[in-house]
Each structure stands twice: as C-alpha cells, then as structure tokens.
Amino acid sequence: MSTDHINKETLNKEAFNKRPLNKKTVFLRQAEASDIDALEQLLNRCYRQAEGWTNEAELIGGIRTTKDELLAVIADPKHYVFIYPKTTTGERDGKETGELLGCIAVDIKDEAEISKSAGNKKAYIGMFAVLPELQGHGVGHQILQAAETFAQRHLQSSTPTPDKNPARLTMSILSHRPELLAYYQRRGYQLNGNSMPFPVDGNNGEPKRQDLQLLELEKLVSQS
C-alpha cells in the first residue's frame, strides 16, 4: 500500500482530531503474525522516511526492520509487541482496517540471568512509533503510558525487587537528537551513562555520521 493511499483515502485525520484523545480512543492490543506486514511498513516509514518529528532519516539510511526480525520478536515469550490498530469507528469495538496508527514493544529482561544478581529486573521499551499524521496530538503519550503501566505491573508481579536494585524501565535513543531526549526527560527518563556506537553491521540501517551513538535512558519503577 502506497503512502498516498494512506494519506488520502484511509486516514481521516480531520475526524480523528475531533474526538478527544484518551484511554477510550487510543487503545492497544498485542501484535500477531498477521500484523507483520503493517507493522513493518509503519516502523520503516516512521523511522526512515523524512516525515514527522521522530524520524531518523537524517542520521540513518536503509530500513529499520524486516519481517523476519519482527516474527522473531513476536515469537519471543518475554517480548511483547503492542499495536494501535485503525478501526472503522476509531473505537476499540470497531472493525479493524488492517492499518496501524502506532506501536510499541516491551522486552522483559531479568538481569539475574546474566549477572547472577538476583532481583535486578528491567523492561526495555522499543519499537515506539506513531503515524506521522497523528504526531503531536497526544497519541504517543497514551501509547507510552500504557506500555509503562504494563511493564511496571509485569515487573512487580514477579519476585519483589530489593530496594538496592530497583526495577527499571530502559530505552535507547540516538545521539544528536536533543529534542527526542528532552521528550523522554519530561516523562521521567534520564541518561544513565551507558552508551555504545551505532552498529555498523548493516542489520539496523546505515549510519550517516561516524560519531553516532546509542544512549541509554532509564526510569525507576515505583514500588508502591
């Protein structure tokens, strides 16, 4: 499906803007294998095309992800991919059109499995995307908030976390994106000092500058 088709025929932006954005109008469900094509299209468009304010087109070329990568993620029992599907009514009970308005992923990680340090748990948030036409209308805020709530409840439902090792929400963003960093800082995330050079193996796209890095952000999970 072409971008023009999405823009002109299948997305009634004016009607969407007339409805208040709240938990009733922005909803998520877990992605299934049948969503792979739409999910791949959404992610590659939002990350790699020069549309919206969140894209990485000036910093990275190539594609963001492939169908095979997405299938592997969905098949991982600790990796939850949530999608915001477009429906004929704009409501949860409407018929889905097959298009996606947004997505986000929560990867539950138990660092005890890696570091042998019991109780050091975290959830990694990634694959966060909102259709460019809907950016700036509060959709991303609702999607991120829902993913954070899911991750927090999932972490707290497991073995209680010692105070010295509080559970954390983490994510990575590209360097040279001060506006994106500010967006997450306003939502309680902070740089934790961890970073790594952007991979140059070609599996994640081609960096357009040699000093590009991935910066890790984290947010402590409330224990209340």
Side-chain angles (χ1 to χ4, degrees):
M1 183 180 298
S2 69
T3 298
D4 287 341
H5 183 71
I6 293 175
N7 291 347
K8 297 178 182 179
E9 299 181 24
T10 63
L11 181 63
N12 189 337
K13 181 180 179 183
E14 182 179 356
F16 187 93
N17 290 340
K18 289 180 179 179
R19 291 195 299 273
L21 291 169
N22 52 46
K23 292 182 179 179
K24 293 183 180 179
T25 57
V26 179
F27 59 93
L28 301 177
R29 69 166 172 82
Q30 195 164 346
E32 302 172 352
S34 59
D35 300 308
I36 291 297
D37 287 347
L39 190 58
E40 179 194 32
Q41 182 181 30
L42 176 69
L43 287 166
N44 285 324
R45 181 186 177 193
C46 291
Y47 279 84
R48 296 294 187 260
Q49 294 188 28
E51 302 179 73
W53 73 275
T54 63
N55 75 83
E56 303 169 344
E58 291 187 359
L59 298 174
I60 305 175
I63 62 173
R64 169 63 172 78
T65 191
T66 65
K67 292 182 177 65
D68 288 342
E69 290 174 342
L70 291 171
L71 282 170
V73 169
I74 289 177
D76 185 340
K78 290 186 177 181
H79 210 146
Y80 302 84
V81 180
F82 298 101
I83 59 173
Y84 175 23
K86 184 175 186 287
T87 68
T88 54
T89 63
E91 305 291 341
R92 184 186 296 271
D93 58 357
K95 182 179 179 181
E96 293 188 14
T97 66
E99 303 154 49
L100 301 183
L101 304 180
C103 65
I104 198 165
V106 178
D107 186 6
I108 303 297
K109 296 182 178 293
D110 186 351
E111 289 189 346
E113 299 175 359
I114 302 174
S115 66
K116 309 300 182 181
S117 177
N120 195 8
K121 296 180 179 292
K122 68 177 181 179
Y124 181 85
I125 295 178
M127 290 200 298
F128 183 20
V130 174
L131 200 68
E133 291 87 345
L134 300 185
Q135 292 179 16
H137 295 282
V139 176
H141 174 75
Q142 294 290 348
I143 291 177
L144 179 59
Q145 188 174 60
E148 289 177 334
T149 299
F150 170 83
Q152 180 171 329
R153 290 176 178 173
H154 196 290
L155 293 173
Q156 291 179 339
S157 68
S158 59
T159 305
T161 304
D163 291 341
K164 65 179 181 178
N165 289 316
R168 297 166 291 149
L169 305 180
T170 67
M171 63 174 60
S172 296
I173 67 170
L174 288 176
S175 56
H176 310 289
R177 291 297 308 279
E179 72 284 2
L180 194 58
L181 175 59
Y183 173 87
Y184 288 118
Q185 287 177 327
R186 291 194 296 270
R187 286 153 181 78
Y189 291 86
Q190 298 296 330
L191 293 167
N192 63 10
N194 294 334
S195 65
M196 63 175 290
F198 187 85
V200 293
D201 55 10
N203 294 327
N204 303 100
E206 300 293 338
K208 295 182 178 181
R209 48 186 302 165
Q210 295 181 347
D211 60 346
L212 196 62
Q213 291 189 320
L214 291 171
L215 310 178
E216 187 174 82
L217 307 180
E218 69 176 35
K219 179 179 181 179
L220 298 184
V221 171
S222 171
Q223 297 301 304
S224 60

